[in-house]
Amino acid sequence: MNKIITKLWNKMGLTVVNYVKVLVLENHLEEVNSFFSERLNIIIRRYCRTLPIHVLDTEGDDLVSIAQLELIESIKSWDPIHNDEVWPLAQMRMLGAMRDHIRYLSKADPSRLYEWVNDQASNYIEHRTPTDHATTFAMQDEIKQAMKELDDRERFIIYAHVKLDLTFKVIGERINLSESQVSRVYKKSITKLKKSIDANV
DNA sequence: GATAGGTTGGGCTTGTGGTT
DNA sequence: AACCACAAGCCCAACCTATC
C-alpha cells in the first residue's frame, strides 16, 4: 500500500504542490508578503548599503518592488519536495534581480539612459526653482497619501506599469489575471487616485 | 442586481523587410 | 535614405459568464 502511495506521490506530487502554491498566491498574497516582509527588508537594506545615495533616491522604491516580484516568482518555481526552504532560493534570486536592475540602468539600455538624463535635467531645473520644488514635494506627498487608499493589488499594478514599465500582459501573468482585467484594474485605480487627490486639494 | 473576471475584436503604434 | 506594406504587440471597450 505504502509503495503505491509513494509511487503515486512521485508521479503527482509536484503537480499537487504547484496547485497548492497557486491557490496560496491567489488567495493569500498579503499574508505571504507579510510573512516574508521582515527578511525581505533585511535583504533590501543590505543590498542598498552597497549603492550610492543618489541611486537609492531614484531607484529605492523600484528595488523594493523588484524584490517583492522576485519573491513571488521564486515561490512559483520552488520545488518543496526536494527543498525544504524557499528562502535560500528567493534570497539568491532577489539579489540577482536587484543587481540586474542596477546593471540595466547603468549601461544596458540606451532608452533608459535617455530617460535618466531627462529625469536628471528635470531634477536640476526643479532644484533651481525653489517654488516648483516645493510644489513637486507637495504633489509627491499627495500621491503617496492617495496610494494608501488603494489595496495591495491596485498599488502593485500601478507601480509595475508606471515605474517598472511592465506591460499589462506581463503584470497579469505575475498575479494570475488576464491582460484585460489588469487594464481595467489599472484604469479604475488611476480614477480612484485622481478622485482622492482632487478631494484633498 | 452588482461586481469581478474572461474572451474577442478593433484601433493604434512600432518594428521589419522589401522596393525604389 | 525614403517610402510602403505587413506583422506583431499593446491597450481598451463591448459583451458574456460566474459568483456573491
Side-chain angles (χ1 to χ4, degrees):
Chain A
M1 184 65 179
N2 275 347
K3 267 188 179 177
I4 296 170
I5 292 173
T6 311
K7 211 175 168 184
L8 200 64
W9 179 250
N10 285 341
K11 204 176 170 187
M12 302 279 296
L14 203 56
T15 311
V16 173
V17 164
N18 280 335
Y19 180 70
V20 172
K21 280 194 292 183
V22 170
L23 277 182
V24 169
L25 287 174
E26 273 178 6
N27 300 309
H28 304 283
L29 191 56
E30 283 184 34
E31 285 92 332
V32 171
N33 278 333
S34 106
F35 179 77
F36 287 105
S37 70
E38 206 169 305
R39 284 183 279 179
L40 188 96
N41 287 336
I42 292 171
I43 293 292
I44 295 168
R45 274 203 300 273
R46 201 179 295 160
Y47 180 63
C48 286
R49 270 190 228 126
T50 66
L51 299 173
I53 289 173
H54 70 278
V55 175
L56 280 181
D57 276 351
T58 55
E59 301 303 323
D61 290 342
D62 283 4
L63 289 175
V64 173
S65 288
I66 285 162
Q68 283 172 339
L69 279 174
E70 205 54 40
L71 173 63
I72 294 167
E73 291 300 308
S74 305
I75 293 171
K76 281 184 185 170
S77 58
W78 172 43
D79 174 5
I81 295 173
H82 301 100
N83 300 287
D84 292 340
E85 278 286 331
V86 66
W87 187 247
L89 169 70
Q91 194 174 339
M92 210 169 64
R93 286 184 58 155
M94 286 190 298
L95 273 172
M98 288 191 288
R99 282 191 192 121
D100 275 353
H101 179 67
I102 296 299
R103 220 175 285 143
Y104 172 71
L105 285 180
S106 56
K107 57 186 175 187
D109 187 345
S111 65
R112 284 297 290 259
L113 180 63
Y114 175 75
E115 274 179 33
W116 184 80
V117 170
N118 265 342
D119 286 348
Q120 296 311 309
S122 305
N123 288 343
Y124 177 72
I125 291 164
E126 281 170 15
H127 183 69
R128 304 272 294 189
T129 52
T131 50
D132 286 350
H133 196 53
T135 310
T136 303
F137 266 110
M139 195 62 198
Q140 280 174 355
D141 194 44
E142 274 171 18
I143 292 169
K144 271 188 186 171
Q145 287 301 320
M147 288 285 272
K148 282 181 187 168
E149 289 176 25
L150 304 179
D151 62 33
D152 279 356
R153 192 181 67 169
E154 291 169 335
R155 266 200 299 274
F156 173 76
I157 290 174
I158 289 186
Y159 202 85
H161 190 60
V162 175
K163 286 285 275 182
L164 303 182
D165 222 15
L166 300 182
T167 64
F168 291 153
K169 192 175 179 181
V170 173
I171 297 169
E173 279 165 8
R174 299 204 173 171
I175 58 174
N176 295 317
L177 275 186
S178 70
E179 183 186 3
S180 321
Q181 188 56 17
V182 174
S183 165
R184 273 195 289 260
V185 174
Y186 175 78
K187 217 178 162 188
K188 206 173 113 188
S189 309
I190 292 292
T191 310
K192 261 192 193 177
L193 274 182
K194 279 181 184 167
K195 273 187 186 167
S196 171
I197 290 170
D198 285 347
N200 291 325
V201 170

